[in-house]
Coordinates of all heavy atoms in Angstrom, one line a residue:
M1 N -33.1 -12.2 -25.7 CA -33.4 -13.4 -26.4 C -32.6 -13.5 -27.7 O -32.4 -12.5 -28.4 CB -34.9 -13.5 -26.7 CG -35.3 -14.8 -27.4 SD -37.0 -15.1 -27.4 CE -37.6 -13.8 -28.5
V2 N -32.1 -14.6 -28.1 CA -31.3 -14.8 -29.3 C -32.0 -15.9 -30.1 O -32.3 -17.0 -29.6 CB -29.8 -15.2 -28.9 CG1 -29.1 -15.4 -30.2 CG2 -29.2 -14.2 -28.0
R3 N -32.1 -15.7 -31.4 CA -32.8 -16.6 -32.3 C -31.6 -17.2 -33.3 O -30.9 -16.4 -33.8 CB -33.8 -16.0 -33.1 CG -34.6 -16.9 -34.1 CD -35.7 -16.2 -34.8 NE -36.3 -17.1 -35.7 CZ -36.1 -17.1 -37.0 NH1 -35.4 -16.2 -37.6 NH2 -36.8 -17.9 -37.8
S4 N -31.7 -18.5 -33.5 CA -30.8 -19.1 -34.4 C -31.7 -19.9 -35.4 O -32.6 -20.6 -35.0 CB -29.8 -20.1 -33.7 OG -29.3 -21.0 -34.5
S5 N -31.4 -19.8 -36.7 CA -32.2 -20.7 -37.6 C -31.3 -21.1 -38.7 O -30.3 -20.4 -39.1 CB -33.3 -19.9 -38.2 OG -32.9 -18.8 -39.1
I6 N -31.5 -22.4 -39.1 CA -30.7 -23.0 -40.2 C -31.8 -23.5 -41.2 O -32.6 -24.5 -40.8 CB -29.8 -24.1 -39.7 CG1 -28.9 -23.6 -38.7 CG2 -29.1 -24.7 -41.0 CD1 -28.0 -24.7 -38.1
R7 N -31.8 -23.1 -42.4 CA -32.7 -23.6 -43.4 C -31.9 -24.4 -44.4 O -30.9 -23.8 -45.0 CB -33.5 -22.5 -44.1 CG -34.6 -23.0 -45.1 CD -35.3 -21.9 -45.8 NE -36.3 -22.3 -46.7 CZ -36.1 -22.7 -47.9 NH1 -34.9 -22.6 -48.5 NH2 -37.1 -23.1 -48.7
M8 N -32.1 -25.6 -44.6 CA -31.3 -26.4 -45.5 C -32.2 -27.2 -46.5 O -33.4 -27.6 -46.1 CB -30.4 -27.3 -44.8 CG -31.1 -28.1 -43.6 SD -29.9 -28.6 -42.4 CE -31.0 -28.5 -40.9
L9 N -31.7 -27.4 -47.7 CA -32.4 -28.2 -48.6 C -31.7 -29.6 -48.7 O -30.6 -29.8 -49.2 CB -32.3 -27.6 -50.1 CG -32.9 -26.2 -50.2 CD1 -32.7 -25.7 -51.6 CD2 -34.4 -26.3 -49.8
I10 N -32.4 -30.5 -48.0 CA -31.9 -31.9 -47.9 C -32.5 -32.7 -49.0 O -33.8 -32.8 -49.1 CB -32.3 -32.5 -46.5 CG1 -31.7 -31.6 -45.4 CG2 -31.7 -33.9 -46.4 CD1 -30.2 -31.6 -45.3
P11 N -31.7 -33.5 -49.8 CA -32.3 -34.3 -50.8 C -33.3 -35.3 -50.3 O -33.1 -35.8 -49.1 CB -31.1 -35.0 -51.4 CG -30.0 -34.1 -51.2 CD -30.2 -33.5 -49.8
L12 N -34.4 -35.6 -51.0 CA -35.4 -36.4 -50.4 C -34.9 -37.8 -49.9 O -35.4 -38.3 -48.9 CB -36.5 -36.6 -51.5 CG -37.2 -35.3 -51.8 CD1 -38.2 -35.6 -53.0 CD2 -37.9 -34.7 -50.7
E13 N -33.9 -38.3 -50.7 CA -33.4 -39.7 -50.3 C -32.5 -39.6 -49.0 O -32.3 -40.7 -48.4 CB -32.5 -40.3 -51.4 CG -31.3 -39.5 -51.8 CD -31.5 -38.5 -52.8 OE1 -32.6 -38.2 -53.2 OE2 -30.5 -38.0 -53.3
K14 N -32.2 -38.4 -48.5 CA -31.4 -38.2 -47.3 C -32.3 -37.8 -46.1 O -31.8 -37.6 -45.0 CB -30.2 -37.4 -47.5 CG -29.2 -37.9 -48.5 CD -28.0 -37.1 -48.5 CE -26.9 -37.7 -49.5 NZ -25.8 -36.8 -49.6
Q15 N -33.5 -37.4 -46.4 CA -34.3 -36.8 -45.3 C -34.6 -37.7 -44.1 O -34.5 -37.2 -43.0 CB -35.6 -36.2 -45.9 CG -35.4 -35.0 -46.7 CD -36.6 -34.1 -46.8 OE1 -37.7 -34.5 -46.3 NE2 -36.5 -33.0 -47.4
A16 N -34.8 -38.9 -44.3 CA -35.1 -39.8 -43.2 C -33.9 -39.9 -42.3 O -34.0 -39.8 -41.1 CB -35.5 -41.2 -43.8
E17 N -32.7 -40.0 -42.9 CA -31.5 -40.0 -42.1 C -31.2 -38.6 -41.4 O -30.9 -38.6 -40.2 CB -30.3 -40.3 -43.0 CG -29.0 -40.3 -42.3 CD -27.8 -40.5 -43.2 OE1 -28.0 -40.6 -44.5 OE2 -26.6 -40.6 -42.7
A18 N -31.5 -37.6 -42.0 CA -31.3 -36.2 -41.4 C -32.3 -36.1 -40.2 O -31.9 -35.6 -39.2 CB -31.6 -35.1 -42.4
L19 N -33.5 -36.4 -40.4 CA -34.5 -36.3 -39.3 C -34.2 -37.3 -38.2 O -34.5 -37.0 -37.0 CB -35.9 -36.5 -39.8 CG -36.4 -35.4 -40.8 CD1 -37.7 -35.7 -41.5 CD2 -36.5 -34.0 -40.0
E20 N -33.7 -38.5 -38.5 CA -33.3 -39.4 -37.5 C -32.1 -38.8 -36.6 O -32.1 -39.1 -35.4 CB -32.8 -40.7 -38.1 CG -32.6 -41.8 -37.2 CD -32.1 -43.1 -37.9 OE1 -32.9 -43.5 -38.9 OE2 -31.2 -43.7 -37.6
I21 N -31.3 -38.0 -37.2 CA -30.2 -37.4 -36.4 C -30.8 -36.2 -35.6 O -30.5 -36.1 -34.4 CB -29.1 -37.0 -37.3 CG1 -28.4 -38.2 -38.0 CG2 -28.1 -36.0 -36.6 CD1 -27.5 -37.8 -39.1
L22 N -31.6 -35.4 -36.3 CA -32.1 -34.2 -35.7 C -33.1 -34.3 -34.6 O -33.1 -33.6 -33.5 CB -32.7 -33.3 -36.7 CG -31.7 -32.6 -37.7 CD1 -32.4 -31.8 -38.8 CD2 -30.7 -31.7 -37.0
S23 N -34.0 -35.3 -34.7 CA -35.1 -35.4 -33.8 C -34.7 -35.6 -32.3 O -35.1 -34.9 -31.4 CB -36.0 -36.6 -34.1 OG -36.7 -36.3 -35.3
P24 N -33.7 -36.6 -32.0 CA -33.2 -36.6 -30.6 C -32.5 -35.4 -30.1 O -32.6 -35.1 -29.0 CB -32.4 -37.9 -30.6 CG -32.2 -38.4 -32.0 CD -33.1 -37.6 -32.9
I25 N -31.8 -34.8 -31.0 CA -31.1 -33.5 -30.7 C -32.1 -32.5 -30.2 O -31.9 -31.8 -29.2 CB -30.2 -33.1 -31.8 CG1 -29.0 -34.1 -32.0 CG2 -29.6 -31.7 -31.5 CD1 -28.3 -33.8 -33.3
I26 N -33.1 -32.4 -30.9 CA -34.2 -31.3 -30.6 C -34.8 -31.6 -29.2 O -34.9 -30.7 -28.4 CB -35.3 -31.4 -31.7 CG1 -34.8 -31.0 -33.1 CG2 -36.5 -30.5 -31.3 CD1 -34.0 -29.7 -33.1
E27 N -35.1 -32.9 -29.0 CA -35.7 -33.3 -27.7 C -34.7 -33.0 -26.6 O -35.2 -32.5 -25.6 CB -36.1 -34.8 -27.8 CG -37.2 -35.1 -28.7 CD -37.4 -36.6 -28.9 OE1 -36.9 -37.4 -28.0 OE2 -38.1 -37.0 -29.8
Q28 N -33.5 -33.3 -26.7 CA -32.5 -33.0 -25.7 C -32.2 -31.5 -25.5 O -32.1 -31.0 -24.4 CB -31.2 -33.7 -26.0 CG -31.3 -35.2 -26.0 CD -30.0 -35.9 -26.6 OE1 -29.0 -35.2 -26.8 NE2 -30.2 -37.2 -26.9
T29 N -32.1 -30.8 -26.6 CA -31.8 -29.4 -26.6 C -32.8 -28.6 -25.8 O -32.5 -27.6 -25.1 CB -31.5 -28.8 -28.0 OG1 -30.5 -29.5 -28.6 CG2 -31.2 -27.3 -27.9
Q30 N -34.1 -29.0 -25.8 CA -35.2 -28.2 -25.2 C -35.0 -28.2 -23.7 O -35.5 -27.3 -23.0 CB -36.5 -28.9 -25.5 CG -36.9 -28.8 -26.9 CD -38.2 -29.5 -27.2 OE1 -38.9 -30.1 -26.4 NE2 -38.6 -29.6 -28.5
F31 N -34.1 -29.1 -23.1 CA -34.0 -29.1 -21.7 C -32.6 -28.6 -21.2 O -32.3 -28.6 -20.1 CB -34.1 -30.6 -21.2 CG -35.5 -31.1 -21.4 CD1 -35.7 -32.0 -22.4 CD2 -36.5 -30.7 -20.7 CE1 -36.9 -32.5 -22.7 CE2 -37.8 -31.2 -20.8 CZ -38.0 -32.1 -21.9
E32 N -31.8 -28.0 -22.2 CA -30.6 -27.3 -21.9 C -30.9 -26.0 -21.2 O -31.9 -25.3 -21.5 CB -29.8 -27.0 -23.1 CG -29.1 -28.3 -23.7 CD -28.2 -27.9 -24.8 OE1 -27.6 -26.8 -24.9 OE2 -28.0 -28.8 -25.7
P33 N -30.0 -25.7 -20.2 CA -30.1 -24.3 -19.6 C -30.2 -23.2 -20.6 O -29.4 -23.1 -21.5 CB -28.9 -24.2 -18.7 CG -28.5 -25.6 -18.5 CD -28.8 -26.3 -19.8
G34 N -31.2 -22.3 -20.5 CA -31.3 -21.2 -21.3 C -32.1 -21.3 -22.7 O -32.4 -20.5 -23.3
C35 N -32.4 -22.6 -22.9 CA -33.2 -22.8 -24.2 C -34.6 -22.5 -23.9 O -35.3 -23.1 -23.0 CB -33.1 -24.3 -24.6 SG -34.0 -24.7 -26.1
I36 N -35.2 -21.6 -24.8 CA -36.6 -21.2 -24.7 C -37.4 -22.2 -25.6 O -38.4 -22.8 -25.2 CB -36.8 -19.8 -25.2 CG1 -36.1 -18.9 -24.2 CG2 -38.4 -19.5 -25.3 CD1 -36.0 -17.4 -24.7
S37 N -36.9 -22.5 -26.8 CA -37.5 -23.5 -27.6 C -36.6 -24.0 -28.7 O -35.6 -23.3 -29.0 CB -38.8 -22.9 -28.3 OG -38.4 -21.9 -29.3
C38 N -36.9 -25.2 -29.3 CA -36.0 -25.8 -30.3 C -37.0 -26.5 -31.1 O -37.7 -27.5 -30.7 CB -35.0 -26.6 -29.6 SG -33.8 -27.3 -30.9
R39 N -37.1 -26.2 -32.4 CA -38.1 -26.8 -33.3 C -37.6 -27.1 -34.7 O -36.6 -26.4 -35.2 CB -39.3 -25.9 -33.5 CG -40.0 -25.7 -32.2 CD -41.3 -24.8 -32.4 NE -42.0 -24.7 -31.2 CZ -42.2 -23.5 -30.6 NH1 -41.7 -22.4 -31.2 NH2 -42.8 -23.4 -29.5
I40 N -38.2 -28.1 -35.3 CA -37.9 -28.4 -36.7 C -39.1 -28.1 -37.6 O -40.3 -28.5 -37.1 CB -37.5 -29.9 -37.0 CG1 -36.3 -30.3 -36.2 CG2 -37.3 -30.2 -38.4 CD1 -36.0 -31.8 -36.2
Y41 N -38.9 -27.4 -38.7 CA -40.1 -27.1 -39.5 C -39.8 -27.7 -41.0 O -38.6 -27.8 -41.4 CB -40.3 -25.6 -39.7 CG -40.6 -24.9 -38.4 CD1 -39.6 -24.3 -37.7 CD2 -41.9 -24.8 -38.0 CE1 -40.0 -23.6 -36.5 CE2 -42.2 -24.2 -36.8 CZ -41.3 -23.5 -36.1 OH -41.6 -22.9 -35.0
R42 N -40.8 -28.1 -41.7 CA -40.7 -28.6 -43.1 C -41.5 -27.6 -43.9 O -42.7 -27.3 -43.5 CB -41.1 -30.0 -43.2 CG -40.2 -30.9 -42.3 CD -40.4 -32.4 -42.6 NE -40.0 -32.7 -43.9 CZ -40.2 -33.9 -44.3 NH1 -40.8 -34.9 -43.6 NH2 -39.8 -34.2 -45.5
A43 N -40.9 -27.2 -45.1 CA -41.6 -26.2 -45.9 C -42.7 -26.9 -46.8 O -42.4 -28.1 -47.3 CB -40.6 -25.5 -46.7
L44 N -43.7 -26.2 -47.1 CA -44.7 -26.8 -48.0 C -44.3 -26.5 -49.4 O -44.7 -27.3 -50.3 CB -46.1 -26.1 -47.7 CG -46.7 -26.4 -46.4 CD1 -48.0 -25.6 -46.2 CD2 -47.0 -27.9 -46.3
E45 N -43.6 -25.4 -49.7 CA -43.4 -25.0 -51.1 C -42.2 -25.8 -51.7 O -42.0 -25.9 -53.0 CB -43.1 -23.5 -51.2 CG -41.7 -23.1 -50.6 CD -41.7 -22.9 -49.2 OE1 -42.7 -23.0 -48.5 OE2 -40.6 -22.6 -48.6
D46 N -41.4 -26.5 -50.9 CA -40.2 -27.2 -51.3 C -40.0 -28.5 -50.4 O -39.6 -28.2 -49.2 CB -38.9 -26.4 -51.4 CG -37.8 -27.2 -52.1 OD1 -37.8 -28.3 -52.2 OD2 -36.8 -26.4 -52.5
A47 N -40.3 -29.6 -50.9 CA -40.3 -30.8 -50.0 C -38.9 -31.1 -49.4 O -38.8 -31.8 -48.5 CB -40.8 -32.0 -50.8
R48 N -37.8 -30.5 -50.1 CA -36.5 -30.7 -49.5 C -36.2 -29.8 -48.4 O -35.2 -30.1 -47.7 CB -35.5 -30.4 -50.7 CG -35.7 -31.3 -51.9 CD -34.7 -30.8 -53.0 NE -35.0 -29.4 -53.3 CZ -34.2 -28.6 -53.9 NH1 -33.0 -29.0 -54.3 NH2 -34.5 -27.3 -54.2
A49 N -36.9 -28.8 -48.1 CA -36.6 -27.7 -47.1 C -36.9 -28.2 -45.7 O -38.0 -28.5 -45.4 CB -37.2 -26.4 -47.5
I50 N -35.9 -28.1 -44.9 CA -36.0 -28.3 -43.4 C -35.4 -27.1 -42.7 O -34.3 -26.6 -43.1 CB -35.3 -29.6 -43.0 CG1 -36.0 -30.8 -43.7 CG2 -35.3 -29.7 -41.5 CD1 -35.2 -32.1 -43.4
M51 N -36.1 -26.7 -41.7 CA -35.5 -25.5 -41.0 C -35.5 -25.9 -39.5 O -36.4 -26.4 -38.9 CB -36.3 -24.2 -41.1 CG -35.7 -23.1 -40.4 SD -36.4 -21.5 -40.7 CE -37.7 -21.4 -39.5
L52 N -34.3 -25.7 -38.8 CA -34.1 -25.8 -37.5 C -34.1 -24.4 -36.8 O -33.4 -23.6 -37.2 CB -32.8 -26.5 -37.2 CG -32.3 -26.6 -35.8 CD1 -33.3 -27.4 -34.9 CD2 -30.9 -27.2 -35.7
E53 N -35.0 -24.2 -35.8 CA -35.1 -22.9 -35.2 C -34.9 -23.1 -33.7 O -35.5 -24.0 -33.1 CB -36.4 -22.2 -35.4 CG -36.5 -20.9 -34.8 CD -37.9 -20.3 -34.9 OE1 -38.8 -20.9 -34.2 OE2 -38.0 -19.3 -35.6
E54 N -34.0 -22.3 -33.1 CA -33.8 -22.3 -31.7 C -33.8 -20.9 -31.1 O -33.4 -19.9 -31.7 CB -32.2 -22.8 -31.4 CG -32.1 -24.2 -31.9 CD -30.6 -24.6 -31.8 OE1 -29.7 -23.7 -31.7 OE2 -30.3 -25.8 -31.9
L55 N -34.5 -20.8 -30.0 CA -34.5 -19.5 -29.2 C -33.8 -19.7 -27.9 O -34.1 -20.7 -27.1 CB -36.0 -19.2 -29.0 CG -36.8 -18.8 -30.2 CD1 -38.2 -18.5 -29.9 CD2 -36.2 -17.5 -30.9
W56 N -33.0 -18.8 -27.6 CA -32.1 -18.9 -26.3 C -32.4 -17.7 -25.5 O -32.5 -16.6 -26.0 CB -30.6 -19.0 -26.7 CG -30.4 -20.3 -27.4 CD1 -30.4 -20.6 -28.8 CD2 -30.1 -21.6 -26.8 NE1 -30.1 -21.9 -29.0 CE2 -30.0 -22.5 -27.9 CE3 -30.0 -22.0 -25.5 CZ2 -29.7 -23.8 -27.6 CZ3 -29.8 -23.3 -25.3 CH2 -29.6 -24.3 -26.3
M57 N -32.3 -17.8 -24.2 CA -32.4 -16.7 -23.2 C -31.2 -15.7 -23.4 O -31.5 -14.5 -23.3 CB -32.4 -17.2 -21.8 CG -33.6 -18.0 -21.4 SD -35.1 -17.1 -21.3 CE -34.7 -16.2 -19.7
S58 N -30.1 -16.1 -23.7 CA -28.9 -15.2 -23.8 C -27.9 -15.7 -24.8 O -27.9 -16.9 -25.2 CB -28.2 -15.1 -22.4 OG -27.5 -16.3 -22.1
D59 N -27.1 -14.8 -25.2 CA -26.0 -15.2 -26.1 C -25.1 -16.2 -25.5 O -24.6 -17.1 -26.2 CB -25.2 -13.9 -26.5 CG -24.2 -14.1 -27.6 OD1 -24.6 -14.7 -28.7 OD2 -23.0 -13.9 -27.4
E60 N -24.8 -16.1 -24.2 CA -23.9 -17.1 -23.6 C -24.6 -18.5 -23.6 O -23.8 -19.5 -23.9 CB -23.7 -16.8 -22.1 CG -22.9 -15.4 -21.9 CD -23.8 -14.2 -22.1 OE1 -25.0 -14.2 -21.9 OE2 -23.2 -13.2 -22.4
D61 N -25.8 -18.7 -23.4 CA -26.5 -20.0 -23.5 C -26.4 -20.5 -25.0 O -26.1 -21.6 -25.1 CB -28.0 -19.8 -23.2 CG -28.2 -19.4 -21.7 OD1 -27.5 -19.9 -20.9 OD2 -29.2 -18.7 -21.4
M62 N -26.6 -19.6 -25.9 CA -26.5 -20.1 -27.3 C -25.0 -20.5 -27.6 O -24.8 -21.5 -28.3 CB -27.0 -19.0 -28.3 CG -26.9 -19.6 -29.7 SD -27.4 -18.3 -31.0 CE -25.9 -17.3 -30.8
Q63 N -24.1 -19.7 -27.2 CA -22.7 -20.0 -27.5 C -22.2 -21.3 -26.9 O -21.5 -22.1 -27.5 CB -21.8 -18.9 -26.9 CG -21.9 -17.5 -27.6 CD -21.5 -17.6 -29.1 OE1 -20.5 -18.4 -29.5 NE2 -22.1 -16.9 -30.0
R64 N -22.7 -21.7 -25.7 CA -22.4 -22.9 -25.0 C -23.0 -24.1 -25.9 O -22.4 -25.1 -26.1 CB -23.1 -23.0 -23.6 CG -22.7 -24.2 -22.8 CD -23.3 -24.2 -21.5 NE -24.7 -23.9 -21.4 CZ -25.1 -22.7 -20.8 NH1 -24.3 -21.8 -20.4 NH2 -26.4 -22.4 -20.9
H65 N -24.2 -23.8 -26.4 CA -24.8 -24.9 -27.3 C -24.0 -25.0 -28.6 O -23.8 -26.2 -29.0 CB -26.3 -24.5 -27.5 CG -26.9 -25.4 -28.6 ND1 -27.2 -26.8 -28.3 CD2 -27.4 -25.2 -29.8 CE1 -27.8 -27.2 -29.4 NE2 -27.9 -26.3 -30.3
L66 N -23.6 -24.0 -29.2 CA -22.8 -24.0 -30.4 C -21.5 -24.7 -30.3 O -21.0 -25.3 -31.3 CB -22.5 -22.6 -31.0 CG -23.8 -21.8 -31.4 CD1 -23.3 -20.4 -31.8 CD2 -24.5 -22.5 -32.5
R67 N -20.9 -24.8 -29.1 CA -19.7 -25.6 -28.8 C -19.9 -27.0 -28.4 O -19.0 -27.8 -28.2 CB -18.9 -24.8 -27.8 CG -18.3 -23.5 -28.2 CD -17.4 -22.9 -27.2 NE -18.0 -22.7 -25.9 CZ -18.6 -21.5 -25.5 NH1 -18.7 -20.5 -26.3 NH2 -19.2 -21.4 -24.3
S68 N -21.2 -27.4 -28.3 CA -21.5 -28.8 -27.8 C -21.4 -29.8 -28.9 O -21.4 -29.5 -30.1 CB -22.9 -28.7 -27.3 OG -23.9 -28.7 -28.3
E69 N -21.3 -31.1 -28.4 CA -21.3 -32.2 -29.3 C -22.6 -32.3 -30.1 O -22.6 -32.7 -31.3 CB -21.0 -33.5 -28.5 CG -20.9 -34.7 -29.4 CD -19.7 -34.7 -30.3 OE1 -18.6 -34.1 -29.9 OE2 -19.8 -35.2 -31.4
K70 N -23.7 -32.0 -29.5 CA -25.0 -32.0 -30.1 C -25.0 -31.1 -31.4 O -25.5 -31.5 -32.4 CB -26.1 -31.5 -29.2 CG -26.5 -32.5 -28.2 CD -27.6 -31.9 -27.3 CE -27.6 -32.4 -26.0 NZ -27.7 -31.4 -24.9
Y71 N -24.4 -29.9 -31.3 CA -24.3 -29.0 -32.4 C -23.5 -29.6 -33.5 O -23.8 -29.3 -34.7 CB -23.9 -27.6 -32.0 CG -24.4 -26.6 -33.0 CD1 -25.6 -26.1 -33.0 CD2 -23.5 -26.1 -33.9 CE1 -26.1 -25.1 -33.9 CE2 -23.9 -25.1 -34.8 CZ -25.2 -24.7 -34.8 OH -25.6 -23.8 -35.8
R72 N -22.4 -30.3 -33.2 CA -21.6 -30.9 -34.2 C -22.5 -31.9 -35.0 O -22.2 -32.0 -36.3 CB -20.4 -31.6 -33.6 CG -19.4 -30.7 -33.1 CD -18.1 -31.4 -32.7 NE -17.1 -30.4 -32.3 CZ -16.7 -30.3 -31.0 NH1 -17.1 -31.2 -30.1 NH2 -15.9 -29.4 -30.6
K73 N -23.4 -32.6 -34.4 CA -24.3 -33.5 -35.2 C -25.2 -32.7 -36.1 O -25.5 -33.2 -37.2 CB -25.0 -34.3 -34.2 CG -24.2 -35.3 -33.4 CD -25.0 -36.1 -32.5 CE -24.1 -37.1 -31.7 NZ -24.8 -37.9 -30.7
I74 N -25.6 -31.5 -35.6 CA -26.4 -30.7 -36.5 C -25.6 -30.3 -37.7 O -26.1 -30.2 -38.8 CB -26.9 -29.4 -35.8 CG1 -27.9 -29.8 -34.7 CG2 -27.5 -28.4 -36.7 CD1 -28.3 -28.7 -33.7
L75 N -24.4 -29.9 -37.5 CA -23.5 -29.6 -38.6 C -23.3 -30.7 -39.6 O -23.2 -30.5 -40.8 CB -22.1 -29.1 -38.2 CG -22.2 -27.7 -37.4 CD1 -20.9 -27.4 -36.9 CD2 -22.8 -26.6 -38.2
L76 N -23.3 -32.0 -39.1 CA -23.3 -33.2 -40.0 C -24.5 -33.2 -41.0 O -24.4 -33.5 -42.2 CB -23.2 -34.4 -39.2 CG -21.9 -34.7 -38.5 CD1 -22.0 -36.0 -37.7 CD2 -20.8 -34.8 -39.5
V77 N -25.6 -32.8 -40.4 CA -26.8 -32.7 -41.2 C -26.7 -31.6 -42.2 O -27.2 -31.8 -43.4 CB -28.1 -32.6 -40.4 CG1 -29.4 -32.4 -41.2 CG2 -28.2 -33.9 -39.5
V78 N -26.2 -30.5 -41.8 CA -26.0 -29.3 -42.7 C -25.2 -29.8 -43.9 O -25.4 -29.3 -45.0 CB -25.4 -28.2 -41.9 CG1 -25.0 -27.1 -42.9 CG2 -26.3 -27.5 -40.9
E79 N -24.2 -30.6 -43.6 CA -23.4 -31.1 -44.8 C -24.1 -31.9 -45.8 O -23.6 -32.1 -46.9 CB -22.1 -31.9 -44.2 CG -21.2 -30.9 -43.5 CD -20.0 -31.6 -42.9 OE1 -19.8 -32.8 -43.3 OE2 -19.2 -30.9 -42.2
M80 N -25.3 -32.5 -45.4 CA -26.0 -33.3 -46.3 C -26.8 -32.4 -47.3 O -27.4 -32.9 -48.3 CB -27.1 -34.1 -45.6 CG -26.6 -35.2 -44.7 SD -28.0 -36.0 -43.9 CE -27.2 -37.0 -42.8
A81 N -26.9 -31.1 -47.1 CA -27.7 -30.2 -47.9 C -27.2 -30.2 -49.3 O -26.0 -30.3 -49.6 CB -27.6 -28.8 -47.3
A82 N -28.1 -30.0 -50.2 CA -27.9 -30.0 -51.7 C -27.3 -28.6 -52.1 O -26.6 -28.5 -53.2 CB -29.2 -30.3 -52.5
E83 N -27.6 -27.6 -51.3 CA -27.1 -26.3 -51.6 C -26.6 -25.7 -50.3 O -26.9 -26.1 -49.2 CB -28.2 -25.4 -52.1 CG -28.8 -25.9 -53.4 CD -30.0 -25.1 -53.9 OE1 -30.2 -23.9 -53.3 OE2 -30.7 -25.5 -54.8
P84 N -25.9 -24.6 -50.3 CA -25.4 -23.9 -49.0 C -26.6 -23.5 -48.3 O -27.6 -23.0 -48.8 CB -24.6 -22.7 -49.6 CG -24.2 -23.1 -50.9 CD -25.2 -23.9 -51.5
P85 N -26.6 -23.8 -46.9 CA -27.8 -23.6 -46.1 C -27.9 -22.0 -45.8 O -26.9 -21.2 -45.9 CB -27.5 -24.3 -44.8 CG -26.0 -24.3 -44.8 CD -25.5 -24.4 -46.2
E86 N -29.0 -21.6 -45.4 CA -29.2 -20.2 -44.8 C -29.1 -20.3 -43.3 O -29.9 -21.0 -42.7 CB -30.7 -19.7 -45.2 CG -30.9 -19.5 -46.6 CD -32.3 -19.1 -46.9 OE1 -33.1 -18.6 -46.0 OE2 -32.9 -19.4 -48.0
I87 N -28.1 -19.7 -42.8 CA -27.9 -19.7 -41.4 C -28.0 -18.3 -40.9 O -27.3 -17.4 -41.3 CB -26.5 -20.3 -41.0 CG1 -26.4 -21.7 -41.5 CG2 -26.3 -20.3 -39.5 CD1 -25.0 -22.4 -41.4
R88 N -28.8 -18.1 -39.9 CA -29.1 -16.8 -39.3 C -29.1 -16.8 -37.8 O -29.5 -17.7 -37.1 CB -30.4 -16.2 -39.8 CG -30.5 -16.1 -41.3 CD -31.6 -15.3 -41.7 NE -31.5 -15.2 -43.2 CZ -32.5 -15.0 -44.0 NH1 -33.7 -15.0 -43.6 NH2 -32.3 -14.9 -45.3
F89 N -28.5 -15.7 -37.2 CA -28.5 -15.5 -35.8 C -29.1 -14.1 -35.6 O -28.9 -13.1 -36.3 CB -27.1 -15.5 -35.2 CG -26.5 -16.8 -35.4 CD1 -25.6 -17.2 -36.4 CD2 -26.7 -17.9 -34.5 CE1 -25.0 -18.4 -36.5 CE2 -26.1 -19.1 -34.6 CZ -25.3 -19.4 -35.7

């Protein structure tokens, strides 16, 4: 199993746009081959914080997703962040 997480601080005025982009991606990604789960979390301690977490069956499944058009849209949201995001694999 492979875990991917991106924690980003999205300015409050851009959050609606960010979630509008991420929500359909999350719904679609859940049905990709090898996807165990795909979720969005919002932090209580900082209203700007959004975290995207994905669990994959294998590295190959995750790599295929990272090369997809859906992931490019995720990267567009990452560019909205007020600070460099925390990205972990």
Side-chain angles (χ1 to χ4, degrees):
M1 183 169 66
V2 181
R3 179 178 180 257
S4 164
S5 68
I6 303 173
R7 183 180 184 276
M8 48 202 147
L9 298 177
I10 304 293
L12 296 177
E13 65 273 7
K14 293 184 179 181
Q15 284 204 358
E17 181 184 0
L19 292 173
E20 187 176 309
I21 293 167
L22 291 174
S23 293
I25 292 170
I26 298 307
E27 292 173 17
Q28 295 168 11
T29 300
Q30 293 176 8
F31 298 103
E32 284 187 28
C35 181
I36 297 170
S37 70
C38 186
R39 297 184 177 115
I40 298 174
Y41 297 98
R42 296 187 71 186
L44 294 175
E45 73 280 355
D46 188 340
R48 301 172 303 155
I50 296 175
M51 187 171 88
L52 171 64
E53 180 186 67
E54 301 172 343
L55 293 174
W56 296 92
M57 291 288 289
S58 70
D59 187 55
E60 293 81 21
D61 294 324
M62 184 186 68
Q63 292 295 328
R64 182 177 49 251
H65 174 64
L66 294 178
R67 292 187 299 270
S68 72
E69 185 62 34
K70 285 182 212 136
Y71 202 78
R72 286 191 180 111
K73 291 178 183 177
I74 292 170
L75 294 177
L76 289 174
V77 174
V78 168
E79 290 180 9
M80 293 179 186
E83 299 176 14
E86 294 175 24
I87 300 175
R88 298 192 177 152
F89 295 96

